[in-house]
Amino acid sequence: DTAVSQTPKYLVTQMGNDKSIKCEQNLGHDTMYWYKQDSKKFLKIMFSYNNKELIINETVPNRFSPKSPDKAHLNLHINSLELGDSAVYFCASSQDREQLSGNTIYFGEGSWLTVV
Amino acid sequence: AQKITQTQPGMFVQEKEAVTLDCTYDTSDPSYGLFWYKQPSSGEMIFLIYQGSYDQQNATEGRYSLNFQKARKSANLVISASQLGDSAMYFCAMREISNTGNQFYFGTGTSLTVIP
């Protein structure tokens, strides 16, 4: 069983379209994330979300919005796609226990988004 | 200031040799965790090793060891007996525990190439 799964793995779409990437984790974690990895391999946090709070990286355009129907899911919606949105998007999850700094972050396999 | 700094964009190592990938971090929290991830060309992010800020011993996982020097704020990854399959991007990461929950920070990565 895949711990963190995201779909689709590959997505090619035209500028201006709206698209969604789905993410599900079966680890029972209470915190989920979306990361963007650009062509230079830089990993940039976009959102982190648990049942208490959504933390948004202020540099993320408001065309990007996370939606969490429940604790195991965090979907990413992107409106009015632009060429610069082409990247790999990683969903991830972790357990947010204050005393255990060893709880690692588990990643999905990534979604390759290409905007043409 | 950067939370995680990886100063080696690319490294080469001969097969069967050992290699050290550098990582320095910046935090004022007494409790934090340090992680290394491997990203092969297939794209997935693979957790390799973890070191807690209070751990007295350096972490080891098979051929991976983490050279933790707390005073220097460094957490270098040592890969012994390099194999061709070790060719990948390697990311150093730190977890801080804050009032808002988990905060994970990633370095810019080091591309390792193992030469036959």
Side-chain angles (χ1 to χ4, degrees), chain B residues 11-106:
Chain B
M11 289 281 286
F12 292 87
V13 63
Q14 204 75 37
E15 194 177 6
K16 299 180 185 177
E17 298 289 312
V19 63
T20 298
L21 306 184
D22 294 342
C23 173
T24 57
Y25 60 92
D26 181 30
T27 183
S28 56
D29 289 352
S31 178
Y32 52 90
L34 297 159
F35 306 82
W36 278 91
Y37 290 83
K38 173 184 179 181
Q39 187 178 37
S41 58
S42 52
E44 70 267 33
M45 293 284 284
I46 303 166
F47 165 68
L48 294 178
I49 195 167
Y50 159 76
Q51 179 85 41
S53 57
Y54 294 118
D55 293 345
Q56 297 295 317
Q57 307 244 346
N58 285 345
T60 59
E61 289 287 346
R63 294 185 298 110
Y64 303 110
S65 61
L66 200 153
N67 184 359
F68 181 44
Q69 298 191 34
K70 196 168 183 177
R72 293 186 177 183
K73 294 189 174 178
S74 75
N76 298 339
L77 177 70
V78 180
I79 305 175
S80 61
S82 296
Q83 302 172 356
L84 296 179
D86 293 335
S87 294
M89 281 289 288
Y90 288 83
F91 292 93
C92 180
M94 176 176 66
R95 179 179 187 257
E96 286 181 330
I97 303 165
S98 68
N99 291 336
T100 54
N102 287 308
Q103 295 288 330
F104 280 92
Y105 302 93
F106 285 84

Side-chain angles (χ1 to χ4, degrees), chain A residues 9 30-31 33 35 37 40-43 48 50 53 55 90 94-109 112, chain B residues 31-35 37 39-45 47 50 52-53 89 91 95 97-108:
Chain A
K9 185 163 185 176
D30 58 11
T31 305
Y33 312 82
Y35 283 85
Q37 187 175 42
K40 294 183 179 178
K41 301 292 188 181
F42 295 154
L43 268 171
S48 67
N50 63 23
E53 192 171 0
I55 300 173
F90 284 97
S94 71
Q95 184 63 25
D96 186 2
R97 291 182 185 164
E98 290 186 6
Q99 300 307 316
L100 296 177
S101 64
N103 288 327
T104 190
I105 187 169
Y106 292 88
F107 285 88
E109 293 184 336
W112 273 251
Chain B
S31 178
Y32 52 90
L34 297 159
F35 306 82
Y37 290 83
Q39 187 178 37
S41 58
S42 52
E44 70 267 33
M45 293 284 284
F47 165 68
Y50 159 76
S53 57
M89 281 289 288
F91 292 93
R95 179 179 187 257
I97 303 165
S98 68
N99 291 336
T100 54
N102 287 308
Q103 295 288 330
F104 280 92
Y105 302 93
F106 285 84
T108 51

Side-chain angles (χ1 to χ4, degrees), chain A residues 16-114:
Chain A
N17 284 351
D18 302 338
K19 290 295 178 187
S20 295
I21 306 172
K22 295 184 177 180
C23 178
E24 176 182 5
Q25 55 95 5
N26 62 7
L27 297 166
H29 287 167
D30 58 11
T31 305
M32 296 184 72
Y33 312 82
W34 278 104
Y35 283 85
K36 177 181 180 181
Q37 187 175 42
D38 62 22
S39 58
K40 294 183 179 178
K41 301 292 188 181
F42 295 154
L43 268 171
K44 174 184 169 184
I45 181 73
M46 301 178 71
F47 306 99
S48 67
Y49 183 81
N50 63 23
N51 56 5
K52 302 170 192 171
E53 192 171 0
L54 171 66
I55 300 173
I56 301 171
N57 184 328
E58 61 187 14
T59 67
V60 174
N62 58 15
R63 298 181 294 103
F64 291 79
S65 58
K67 298 275 194 303
S68 181
D70 56 57
K71 192 174 155 181
H73 296 83
L74 184 65
N75 302 326
L76 181 65
H77 297 270
I78 316 170
N79 295 326
S80 302
L81 277 156
E82 300 177 358
L83 294 177
D85 297 334
S86 295
V88 183
Y89 292 85
F90 284 97
C91 178
S93 73
S94 71
Q95 184 63 25
D96 186 2
R97 291 182 185 164
E98 290 186 6
Q99 300 307 316
L100 296 177
S101 64
N103 288 327
T104 190
I105 187 169
Y106 292 88
F107 285 88
E109 293 184 336
S111 295
W112 273 251
L113 173 65
T114 303

